[in-house]
Amino acid sequence: MFDSSSLPSATPALAPDYQQKIKQVFAEVGKVVVGQQYMVGRLLIGLFTGGHILLEGVPGLAKTLTISTLSKVLHLHFQRVQFTPDLLPSDLVGTMIYNQGQSVFEVKKGPIFANLVLADEINRSPAKVQSALLEAMQEKQVTIGETTYPLDLPFLVLATQNPVEQEGTYPLPEAQVDRFMMKVYVDYLKKTDELEVMRRMANMSYVGEVNPILTKDDIFAIRNLINQVQISETLEKYIIELVFATRRPADYDLAEFQQYVQFGVSPRASIALHRAAKAVAFLDERDYVLPEDIKDVAGDVLNHRILLNYEAEADGIKTQDLIDAILRKVPIS
């Protein structure tokens, strides 16, 4: 069992000024977006840890609005790209244009050159466009012609996809899905929240104005503070056990799931769990990680990385079923 007696107490090193600013970020976004605190929290975890986020939910749940509002509150350069079947890689990263007046080729940079890039309905574009994101997401750079251009930091890709309309879509390749730190399922609002949305939108003169709270320097400072959050060796080993349990469930008393698993999660999952758990602890105003922090993000970090076979689909087995079973069975020792 996990021994909580060895945990340090919260220290002033957590920078209460930044904690207060983060609370203000939630409040400012709440002026425009109602009831999506969970999604905002996951987006902040991605931003503070340098991890890209994939959002999945039915239309009308304010995914795009939340991201655009958050960019204003964080004072970051924001670009939205609507992915369509006729989108070209050059529409995303940019291209070379011939200047007749000076008889030279000039670079016209694409919308990827921003801090927050919203790839709206990412699964509506063909593979060649989706793959154009790979270098940017992984290397934080883009190649146009023969020249490589670094992207402005912080750089984050926030992608959305619609789960209910699959006609004319292109499923994301596993290699690209794995590059997203978390896949967040955005659910319907509660009744009280939807009532508030209806009242706001019924007033056509309503305009939600937000104020910038954090700067780029603040974001990098928060990243440094999250790096200093402590995680015990016991919990680090617990993360590894969770990851290995997705690959060989039978070794963890989960033999009933072994026949359904085609591939478990990649090593990127271990890194993402480690970083995300630290960020959760920091947002909870602690400078140490608890087992609950790891369990809190396990679903969002693991669900899109586990590849189940057709037999699982036929039997109605979901990746979340396996994750829930792993969290119940794998001990903390």
Side-chain angles (χ1 to χ4, degrees), residues 64 80-84 118-124 158-160:
T64 302
R80 175 181 176 271
V81 182
Q82 181 64 50
F83 278 53
T84 57
L118 171 58
D120 214 354
E121 294 190 285
I122 189 174
N123 57 332
R124 292 207 173 276
L158 306 171
T160 70

Side-chain angles (χ1 to χ4, degrees), residues 24-319:
Q24 292 175 7
V25 168
F26 279 95
E28 288 295 318
V29 174
K31 292 180 180 179
V32 178
V33 181
V34 179
Q36 294 291 7
Q37 288 87 354
Y38 180 83
M39 175 168 50
V40 175
R42 289 311 195 239
L43 293 176
L44 288 177
I45 288 175
L47 180 68
F48 294 153
T49 59
H52 310 289
I53 306 294
L54 179 61
L55 299 175
E56 184 171 295
V58 299
L61 296 181
K63 299 184 294 295
T64 302
L65 178 62
T66 301
I67 296 170
S68 62
T69 303
L70 188 62
S71 68
K72 297 175 184 177
V73 176
L74 300 176
H75 208 264
L76 295 174
H77 182 204
F78 169 74
Q79 287 280 11
R80 175 181 176 271
V81 182
Q82 181 64 50
F83 278 53
T84 57
D86 60 349
L87 193 72
L88 298 174
S90 57
D91 297 328
L92 181 66
V93 302
T95 187
M96 304 288 291
I97 295 180
Y98 185 68
N99 186 325
Q100 292 184 346
Q102 300 181 9
S103 299
V104 295
F105 282 95
E106 295 179 345
V107 174
K108 182 181 180 182
K109 295 181 177 179
I112 197 72
F113 289 89
N115 299 118
L116 291 183
V117 177
L118 171 58
D120 214 354
E121 294 190 285
I122 189 174
N123 57 332
R124 292 207 173 276
S125 65
K128 62 182 179 180
V129 178
Q130 295 174 4
S131 63
L133 279 175
L134 293 183
E135 182 183 15
M137 292 173 65
Q138 189 66 24
E139 306 296 335
K140 307 295 190 297
Q141 64 184 23
V142 166
T143 301
I144 303 175
E146 297 180 352
T147 307
T148 299
Y149 299 89
L151 296 172
D152 187 27
L153 300 178
F155 172 74
L156 201 66
V157 172
L158 306 171
T160 70
Q161 63 180 18
N162 181 353
V164 298
E165 190 178 347
Q166 298 300 323
E167 185 176 352
T169 61
Y170 303 83
L172 294 178
E174 284 75 13
Q176 183 167 343
V177 171
D178 194 37
R179 282 173 166 81
F180 287 97
M181 181 184 192
M182 291 189 287
K183 181 178 181 180
V184 180
Y185 291 97
V186 184
D187 205 353
Y188 287 109
L189 297 173
K190 296 184 295 186
K191 290 181 181 178
T192 53
D193 292 333
E194 189 150 346
L195 179 63
E196 175 63 21
V197 170
M198 182 180 66
R199 287 171 174 169
R200 286 189 186 183
M201 294 301 104
N203 180 4
M204 290 182 287
S205 62
Y206 175 81
V207 178
E209 298 289 343
V210 295
N211 301 307
I213 302 298
L214 295 177
T215 65
K216 290 183 182 180
D217 290 339
D218 290 332
I219 292 171
F220 291 127
I222 290 172
R223 285 186 178 184
N224 184 53
L225 289 170
I226 290 175
N227 284 336
Q228 298 175 37
V229 172
Q230 302 174 54
I231 180 169
S232 68
E233 184 178 352
T234 298
L235 291 184
E236 288 180 329
K237 291 180 179 179
Y238 177 58
I239 290 175
I240 298 301
E241 294 298 326
L242 293 178
V243 166
F244 271 71
T246 68
R247 301 169 187 169
R248 298 189 59 84
D251 293 347
Y252 295 83
D253 197 22
L254 294 166
E256 66 272 22
F257 288 97
Q258 186 69 56
Q259 61 179 322
Y260 300 125
V261 176
Q262 187 171 355
F263 293 106
V265 301
S266 75
R268 285 196 183 101
S270 306
I271 300 169
L273 273 176
H274 197 279
R275 290 178 177 175
K278 282 188 170 186
V280 170
F282 180 82
L283 292 176
D284 202 30
E285 301 185 38
R286 283 180 281 106
D287 58 358
Y288 54 88
V289 174
L290 293 173
E292 289 73 18
D293 301 327
I294 299 170
K295 295 177 181 179
D296 181 48
V297 294
D300 293 335
V301 170
L302 301 177
N303 60 43
H304 58 297
R305 291 184 163 96
I306 299 173
L307 187 60
L308 301 181
N309 54 30
Y310 289 110
E311 189 177 350
E313 184 177 356
D315 291 347
I317 301 297
K318 307 294 184 183
T319 55

